[in-house]
Amino acid sequence: MADMTHDPTADGLDLIKAALGPKGILAGEAAAPLLREWRGRWTGRPCLIAAPATTAEVARIVSIAADHGLAITPQGGNTGLVGGQMAMNGEVLLTLRRLNRVRKVSPLDNSLIVEAGVTLAEAQAAAAGVDRLFPLSIGSEGSCQIGGVISTNAGGVNVLRYGNMRDLVLGVEAVLPSGEIWNGLKRLRKDNTGYDLKQLFIGGEGTLGVVTAAALKLFPRPREKSTVFVALKSPDAALKLLSRAQDASGGGVTSFELMSRAILALVFKNIPDTRDPIAGEHPWYALIEFSAGREARLSALVETLLEDALRADEIADAAVAANEKQAADFWRLRHSMAAAMVPEGGQAKYDVSVPVASVPDFLGAADAAVLKIAPKARIIAFGHMGDGNIHYDILQPVGIAREEFAQAAAAIEVAVYDAIDRFEGSISAEHGVGVARREDIARRKQRAEMEMMRAVKNALDPKGVMNPGKML
Amino acid sequence: MADMTHDPTADGLDLIKAALGPKGILAGEAAAPLLREWRGRWTGRPCLIAAPATTAEVARIVSIAADHGLAITPQGGNTGLVGGQMAMNGEVLLTLRRLNRVRKVSPLDNSLIVEAGVTLAEAQAAAAGVDRLFPLSIGSEGSCQIGGVISTNAGGVNVLRYGNMRDLVLGVEAVLPSGEIWNGLKRLRKDNTGYDLKQLFIGGEGTLGVVTAAALKLFPRPREKSTVFVALKSPDAALKLLSRAQDASGGGVTSFELMSRAILALVFKNIPDTRDPIAGEHPWYALIEFSAGREARLSALVETLLEDALRADEIADAAVAANEKQAADFWRLRHSMAAAMVPEGGQAKYDVSVPVASVPDFLGAADAAVLKIAPKARIIAFGHMGDGNIHYDILQPVGIAREEFAQAAAAIEVAVYDAIDRFEGSISAEHGVGVARREDIARRKQRAEMEMMRAVKNALDPKGVMNPGKML
């Protein structure tokens, strides 16, 4: 009795299991956290969960997948916000967690080679261990992994000074959709010998291959820091202050985070042990961090700067952190903002960027458009003003049912997107596309750009092995 | 009597001429400088020289070319070093010189939008006009054009602090091989909505489209500067000093240029009105520039740094520029180095990069290999030590005929390339591929990487319209 229906994918799965052995396949309890998006928004349904331990094993898995009609979804720390890391349609979920070696630390090169499964915090620690700085810093740094940080081109609070992840990658090692290993792990500051292919993998959301290791840029550790919390009348005043601070410090502003009173009030309400650094209530605030080398006299610089800004009516009040504890308290306010919104009901959240100077006008236009649709909506705006990147969130009005608010969500989205377009902005500044924004970019990007993206995808992954249904 | 042979390219040329009018077609005297590579190494033989004045005209030309079997070679300031800008095989030579408008200067955004034909010096001036810095600086800045600077991902003397051109581009507008205009001119610091396609045009050497305009990053202008000339025992001492200077200044080292006594001696010999800033003869020197914001006390920092370096035996002597004139004199030595070699006969020149910490070992290995082949060769090494980028040039030995030296050149090239490979370096750090290094990269790059490059080229330019025979 011959089995006449033959499924090549079943053979592929058997081959992958055989190649990895029992330690390389996850199931049951161990697998559960990999199948659940952390906010519960998406659920993974992979056909297999593979946990390779080496680049060669990753290559073997991808090669088998390519030959047997299987698809692959790579996953890092599973902290992504747009669902790019979820295997939702029977893909092989490939977790990089066992590729967790620090391969090389070179302080004289200011470089670091780590594997994809090393967490961001571990990479920061490896740099600190040789008295260097790896500057990228985001809320999830304890669990997000370098492979994911690269594949989503993560941003965070130090972009103003050091750039996004894209700016911090010297080279990548990746397994291509064919299963071949590309050794692009160069530690060079300059290399003009053809297209800079690593750029396609950075922010590529796993659609062109699996990043297995990377060479990262390190920096001198700042020897002086100054952290300031200021009260402001308006985003426009914040813009002027940013420009003044950048000029005075010669580009020494590491972070410039804007926040409205509305979000700060929610922090004080919902997060224990937080308190206002500045007396009274002000409509806007900014958290600013300066850093410098030795003998920089940052305190004198900051003092003069704040005096000048007060005199120019750019700030209403200011608190300079007297020590590291106080600086950490300031930062805790900023880092608590996402959590402070959770108890407040339904939320429509947007990760907007516009040209830096357009932030005030964008906020004015978006607020007006949203309030026209939902006059009682609570608008929360905060984020990386220095990069033109605002987390623009609309909270369910008090006393209105979650369902009622949800009905206005589609109209609110159109209003916010239209305001973004008007200021030539981005509908996803740092979170990426994944499944969450996939239809939006297809609808809103120039057709020629979408065609180029699809042409690149088809050229490098003609069989559609890598993370289907994401981004494109 | 019907003409049975019909050449569609002739129709295409007629259409281009009609589209541009007489002002848009160059010939005779006006055309001559565009046909000659500035060192006389390559000669252009285009079928037509088109000088469009707008992006729409560029699009029209490319569209006609795509429809009529013509190829296009874009040309900027014709200062390239690898022949990428030469139309050597009957292409339409497309000069961008008439696209020379500064479209938008936004000091509060720290951004600048310029067309491709604006010179680098004009872009720098537009930034300075609003009290900002556009930091890229190269020898040819008076004549090279932004489109070319982007297409070759130029480097220069400020890369250590500000990055290569790739790091300074926020967005590009380009005409695609189909003739469509891609409006990628965003002025955003963060945008994660798909593959970062502009990266393919940066350093793409005109093989994927014509860059017609770009949005560039501006920076605060440094308020303090310090320029130092130091004498050193060895490249290894330079490496230690670089690390010390970076640490002390918190990344405030703008330039760190290494140079051997051999090249400095040629400057004193062949360039009028130059003199040694430091008494005695030392095997190596470095020119270092620091910059900072206000109240930075750079002079105190530099003084302490040099004292510490002297005590640690990292430097033998130092001269700190007392004023701008003296700083300019120091820089003139550095900028005269290429010219100082010209009267010295045959030269084999390499634009090498290796990981920064490998510069000393690379120099040792390369010198040994070259001297084995040509024991009397004069080896000249200088360049951007801070980026691991060394201009490594071998001069004809004194008293040996140019022809005899040329015979050794092939063996020398293999020796230099092998040393580069050994230290995981690049055979073209900042000059690019063009025609000069095309066969070299095909031979030396990983096969998978060459295949990805060809796949991208074929996907985005299936008809082969753009700059055929260059890079790939």
Side-chain angles (χ1 to χ4, degrees), chain B residues 158-464:
Chain B
N158 293 330
V159 172
L160 182 57
R161 171 75 178 268
Y162 298 101
N164 296 291
M165 191 60 174
R166 184 179 302 285
D167 303 293
L168 303 174
V169 176
L170 292 169
V172 299
E173 173 190 274
V175 171
L176 306 179
S178 62
E180 263 189 291
I181 298 168
W182 174 45
N183 179 12
L185 259 192
K186 295 204 161 179
R187 287 173 295 140
L188 304 174
R189 305 279 158 166
K190 290 179 173 175
D191 181 19
N192 281 340
T193 56
Y195 306 137
D196 191 0
L197 296 168
K198 71 172 177 290
Q199 303 293 346
L200 293 172
F201 295 86
I202 302 169
E205 302 192 359
T207 61
L208 299 176
V210 184
V211 173
T212 51
L216 306 178
K217 281 186 202 169
L218 303 183
F219 293 81
R221 260 153 78 96
R223 301 302 171 180
E224 289 189 27
K225 273 194 183 189
S226 181
T227 309
V228 186
F229 205 90
V230 299
L232 301 148
K233 269 190 209 139
S234 64
D236 202 55
L239 183 64
K240 288 182 183 133
L241 178 65
L242 168 64
S243 187
R244 180 187 294 277
Q246 285 279 66
D247 179 66
S249 64
V253 184
T254 320
S255 306
F256 193 106
E257 301 285 310
L258 181 73
M259 51 202 87
S260 66
R261 179 73 202 177
I263 179 63
L264 208 57
L266 289 184
V267 170
F268 301 141
K269 176 184 167 202
N270 294 329
I271 308 290
D273 301 321
T274 53
R275 59 188 198 80
D276 205 330
I278 288 177
E281 286 197 13
H282 304 268
W284 293 89
Y285 299 86
L287 172 56
I288 314 171
E289 194 160 275
F290 299 83
S291 68
R294 299 181 195 281
E295 312 205 31
R297 289 201 308 180
L298 260 187
S299 56
L301 177 105
V302 168
E303 200 178 309
T304 308
L305 174 76
L306 293 176
E307 279 167 13
D308 291 348
L310 262 171
R311 206 170 302 123
D313 210 19
E314 282 161 15
I315 59 175
D317 203 349
V320 180
N323 50 43
E324 284 189 25
K325 163 80 176 65
Q326 226 168 62
D329 285 346
F330 291 176
W331 273 110
R332 188 162 168 257
L333 299 176
R334 170 66 185 84
H335 290 311
S336 303
M337 289 178 177
M341 279 188 279
V342 173
E344 298 294 319
Q347 302 166 26
K349 303 182 92 159
Y350 299 95
D351 175 33
V352 176
S353 76
V354 292
V356 180
S358 300
V359 167
D361 289 344
F362 164 76
L363 288 173
D367 286 4
V370 168
L371 292 174
K372 212 168 157 189
I373 295 160
K376 290 185 179 171
R378 290 177 291 165
I379 297 175
I380 300 290
F382 65 99
H384 318 299
M385 169 93 189
D387 316 315
N389 177 196
I390 299 295
H391 299 301
Y392 189 79
D393 303 331
I394 295 103
L395 294 190
Q396 184 179 347
V398 177
I400 283 184
R402 199 163 181 135
E403 295 66 35
E404 195 180 326
F405 176 66
Q407 284 171 4
I412 287 176
E413 178 149 303
V414 171
V416 174
Y417 281 4
D418 285 348
I420 293 169
D421 280 354
R422 198 171 131 197
F423 294 96
E424 302 177 72
S426 169
I427 63 166
S428 193
E430 50 181 23
H431 295 169
V433 179
V435 292
R437 305 285 180 212
R438 186 182 169 213
E439 287 172 20
D440 299 328
I441 68 156
R443 219 175 10 239
R444 293 197 167 244
K445 265 191 195 282
Q446 190 185 345
R447 191 184 46 77
E449 185 166 341
M450 288 305 299
E451 279 173 10
M452 275 195 278
M453 284 173 55
R454 288 190 198 106
V456 167
K457 167 73 176 176
N458 292 337
L460 299 185
D461 183 15
K463 291 183 179 173

Side-chain angles (χ1 to χ4, degrees), chain A residues 296-316:
Chain A
R297 289 202 306 178
L298 260 188
S299 56
L301 176 105
V302 167
E303 200 178 311
T304 307
L305 175 75
L306 293 176
E307 279 166 16
D308 292 348
L310 262 172
R311 206 171 301 123
D313 209 20
E314 282 162 14
I315 59 174

Side-chain angles (χ1 to χ4, degrees), chain A residues 106-110 131-132 152-157 159 161 164 166-167 176 180-197 199-205 207-208 217 220-223 239-240 242-243 246-252 292-297 300-301 304 353-358 384 386-389 423-433 441 445-457 459-460 471-472, chain B residues 106-110 131-132 152-157 159 161-162 164 166-167 176 180-197 199-205 207-208 217 220-223 239-240 242-243 246-252 292-297 300-301 304 353-358 384 386-389 423-433 441 445-457 459-460 471-472:
Chain A
S106 314
L108 280 177
D109 277 344
N110 281 311
D131 198 27
R132 292 292 186 275
T152 59
N153 184 31
V157 294
V159 171
R161 172 74 179 269
N164 296 291
R166 184 178 303 284
D167 303 294
L176 305 178
E180 263 190 290
I181 298 167
W182 174 44
N183 179 12
L185 260 191
K186 294 203 161 180
R187 287 174 294 140
L188 304 174
R189 305 277 159 169
K190 289 179 174 175
D191 180 19
N192 280 342
T193 55
Y195 305 137
D196 191 1
L197 296 168
Q199 303 292 348
L200 294 171
F201 295 87
I202 301 169
E205 302 192 359
T207 61
L208 298 176
K217 281 186 200 170
R221 262 153 79 94
R223 300 302 170 181
L239 182 64
K240 287 182 184 133
L242 168 64
S243 186
Q246 285 280 66
D247 179 65
S249 65
R294 300 182 197 280
E295 312 205 32
R297 289 202 306 178
L301 176 105
T304 307
S353 76
V354 291
V356 180
S358 300
H384 317 298
D387 315 316
N389 177 196
F423 294 97
E424 302 178 70
S426 169
I427 64 166
S428 194
E430 51 180 23
H431 296 169
V433 178
I441 67 156
K445 265 189 195 280
Q446 190 185 345
R447 190 184 45 78
E449 184 167 341
M450 288 304 300
E451 278 173 10
M452 274 195 279
M453 283 172 55
R454 289 193 196 103
V456 167
K457 167 73 176 176
L460 299 184
M471 187 195 285
L472 282 165
Chain B
S106 315
L108 281 176
D109 277 345
N110 282 310
D131 199 27
R132 292 292 185 275
T152 59
N153 184 29
V157 293
V159 172
R161 171 75 178 268
Y162 298 101
N164 296 291
R166 184 179 302 285
D167 303 293
L176 306 179
E180 263 189 291
I181 298 168
W182 174 45
N183 179 12
L185 259 192
K186 295 204 161 179
R187 287 173 295 140
L188 304 174
R189 305 279 158 166
K190 290 179 173 175
D191 181 19
N192 281 340
T193 56
Y195 306 137
D196 191 0
L197 296 168
Q199 303 293 346
L200 293 172
F201 295 86
I202 302 169
E205 302 192 359
T207 61
L208 299 176
K217 281 186 202 169
R221 260 153 78 96
R223 301 302 171 180
L239 183 64
K240 288 182 183 133
L242 168 64
S243 187
Q246 285 279 66
D247 179 66
S249 64
R294 299 181 195 281
E295 312 205 31
R297 289 201 308 180
L301 177 105
T304 308
S353 76
V354 292
V356 180
S358 300
H384 318 299
D387 316 315
N389 177 196
F423 294 96
E424 302 177 72
S426 169
I427 63 166
S428 193
E430 50 181 23
H431 295 169
V433 179
I441 68 156
K445 265 191 195 282
Q446 190 185 345
R447 191 184 46 77
E449 185 166 341
M450 288 305 299
E451 279 173 10
M452 275 195 278
M453 284 173 55
R454 288 190 198 106
V456 167
K457 167 73 176 176
L460 299 185
M471 187 195 285
L472 283 165

Side-chain angles (χ1 to χ4, degrees), chain A residues 263 266-267 270-271 333-344 347 349 382:
Chain A
I263 179 64
L266 289 183
V267 170
N270 294 329
I271 308 290
L333 299 176
R334 171 65 186 85
H335 289 311
S336 303
M337 288 180 178
M341 278 189 279
V342 174
E344 298 294 318
Q347 300 167 28
K349 304 181 92 160
F382 65 98

Side-chain angles (χ1 to χ4, degrees), chain A residues 12 16 60-72 92 463 465:
Chain A
I16 291 174
R60 183 83 187 103
I61 295 169
V62 178
S63 173
I64 293 168
D67 289 347
H68 293 80
L70 289 161
I72 305 263
V92 175
K463 291 183 178 174
V465 174

